[in-house]
Amino acid sequence: MAKDGILQRSHFTLIKEYLLITVGVTAYALGWAVFLGPNNMIGGGVTGFAAILEYAFGLPIPVTYFLLNILLLVVGTKLLGTGFGFKTIYAIIMTSIMLAVTKDIIPHDFIDRFAGSESKIVCTILGGIMAGVGIGMSMSQGGSTGGTDIIALVWCKFRPASPGRVILIIDILIILSSLLFPSYIDGADGRVMMEFPEKLATVVYGLIQVTVCGYAIDLYISGSKQSVQVFIFTKKVEEMADAIAFDMKRGVTVIPAKGWYSKEEKQIIMVVTRKTDLNLLLRYVKSIDPEAFLSVSSVMGVYGQGFDTIKVKTKN
């Protein structure tokens, strides 16, 4: 069997998941603190709607974000399970904290440089990329930054759809709704109402931002869900198969084969697993049989228990 240090992975996996969620929500908050908020941008999701309310009524974004997400979280927990809910509670709390503190952590000179001297289109794209990668990183670990992420995950559980596309549609509706609210910005004489042409331009920037964000989400999630098919040639077939099946908790298929040069009957181990787990699998193999021969190839899609669910409409 493999060494105990390799087999004991549950705690490490849990820590890794929450660490990635933390990094993801931090990237999301930084996108708003550095690129979007200082330029009076609007965006999608609960954060975008909270920004609309702040520009109109002066309500703090972190507080509005937290309260609205609690309402959506109740629905998400019931439909997606308590595991999803606990991770998302953590992500929502961390995002609320990060949205509140990042403005003080990041030097104001650095923020003012992007808010004042850099073009708004650059800030829009960079903010969208950071927000999208942050959301994708959190969603790939079973969590969410809340809001439209929860709606997207609920929708994708029951209907075949791209999470990024669902979020994009909802975000567009939120951004267009900003035209129904007044917007006040800081001016030389205090807070002044944003004129309609400038407000319309902000809506256009917001649409660009959510498009970039949705695309970044899909890129990150599709990359994190890539799977590999591994063929293992080893003399320790039973020991290797038991370690992968019972310790690593991955499906194993043993295929009978015959070496044509040696004319010997052999067995080949086939394993399909996530690409993110490949390094762990290689450590298992090396710890059991350092002389094992492996063939690793990427696969287009894997459906079934432990992987993606087939989501197609069937006729009665």
Side-chain angles (χ1 to χ4, degrees):
M1 300 293 287
K3 296 179 180 179
D4 292 339
I6 298 177
L7 304 182
Q8 300 296 329
R9 60 184 298 267
S10 58
H11 294 304
F12 171 78
T13 301
L14 189 63
I15 293 173
K16 183 192 74 173
E17 289 175 352
Y18 279 91
L19 178 61
L20 289 176
I21 291 175
T22 303
V23 174
V25 299
T26 302
Y28 178 80
L30 287 174
W32 273 93
V34 177
F35 301 108
L36 302 177
N39 284 284
N40 297 302
M41 295 287 187
I42 57 177
V46 170
T47 310
F49 188 68
I52 294 173
L53 295 181
E54 182 181 60
Y55 301 151
F57 308 111
L59 300 175
I61 290 179
V63 176
T64 306
Y65 169 88
F66 181 77
L67 294 178
L68 291 176
N69 271 299
I70 291 300
L71 296 177
L72 290 171
L73 185 61
V74 174
V75 177
T77 302
K78 289 184 177 180
L79 296 177
L80 299 172
T82 55
F84 166 86
F86 190 79
K87 288 182 179 179
T88 302
I89 289 174
Y90 173 80
I92 289 173
I93 293 174
M94 287 300 300
T95 304
S96 302
I97 294 174
M98 290 300 176
L99 287 171
V101 304
T102 45
K103 291 183 179 180
D104 297 326
I105 295 176
I106 305 299
H108 290 284
D109 292 341
F110 180 80
I111 295 178
D112 291 339
R113 177 183 176 186
F114 283 94
S117 61
E118 297 293 333
S119 83
K120 286 192 174 183
I121 189 64
V122 172
C123 293
T124 298
I125 294 174
L126 292 178
I129 291 174
M130 290 192 68
V133 170
I135 293 173
M137 189 176 295
S138 181
M139 291 177 69
S140 68
Q141 303 304 313
S144 166
T145 53
T148 51
D149 308 354
I150 297 177
I151 299 174
L153 290 177
V154 170
W155 181 273
C156 293
K157 180 178 180 179
F158 300 103
R159 298 284 184 178
S162 161
R165 182 163 298 180
V166 175
I167 292 174
L168 176 61
I169 294 173
I170 300 173
D171 288 351
I172 289 174
L173 296 176
I174 291 175
I175 290 173
L176 293 177
S177 71
S178 68
L179 295 173
L180 304 176
F181 295 87
S183 298
Y184 295 90
I185 59 176
D186 295 328
D189 300 326
R191 290 180 65 82
V192 296
M193 181 178 292
M194 185 182 297
E195 297 181 359
F196 183 78
E198 186 178 358
K199 191 173 182 179
L200 187 60
T202 302
V203 170
V204 175
Y205 284 126
L207 294 175
I208 295 174
Q209 186 266 332
V210 296
T211 302
V212 173
C213 181
Y215 188 65
I217 291 171
D218 282 344
L219 282 180
Y220 187 92
I221 291 180
S222 63
S224 65
K225 285 190 174 182
Q226 286 183 352
S227 299
V228 292
Q229 182 175 269
V230 183
F231 288 101
I232 305 172
F233 301 81
T234 176
K235 295 180 180 179
K236 301 180 179 179
V237 175
E238 293 187 4
E239 184 179 354
M240 185 82 69
D242 286 343
I244 297 173
F246 301 116
D247 298 323
M248 193 177 173
K249 307 298 183 182
R250 292 294 180 270
V252 177
T253 301
V254 178
I255 304 173
K258 181 178 182 179
W260 196 249
Y261 180 79
S262 64
K263 307 301 181 182
E264 294 181 359
E265 299 292 339
K266 298 181 178 181
Q267 290 179 312
I268 301 174
I269 299 175
M270 185 186 74
V271 180
V272 177
T273 186
R274 294 292 188 193
K275 191 173 182 178
T276 52
D277 291 332
L278 179 59
N279 286 336
L280 180 65
L281 176 62
L282 296 179
R283 289 167 59 193
Y284 267 74
V285 173
K286 184 177 180 180
S287 66
I288 298 173
D289 185 5
E291 297 181 356
F293 179 83
L294 290 87
S295 171
V296 181
S297 59
S298 298
V299 293
M300 290 293 295
V302 181
Y303 302 93
Q305 185 175 3
F307 293 91
D308 296 331
T309 302
I310 300 176
K311 300 174 183 178
V312 294
K313 297 181 180 179
T314 57
K315 297 181 179 180
N316 294 329

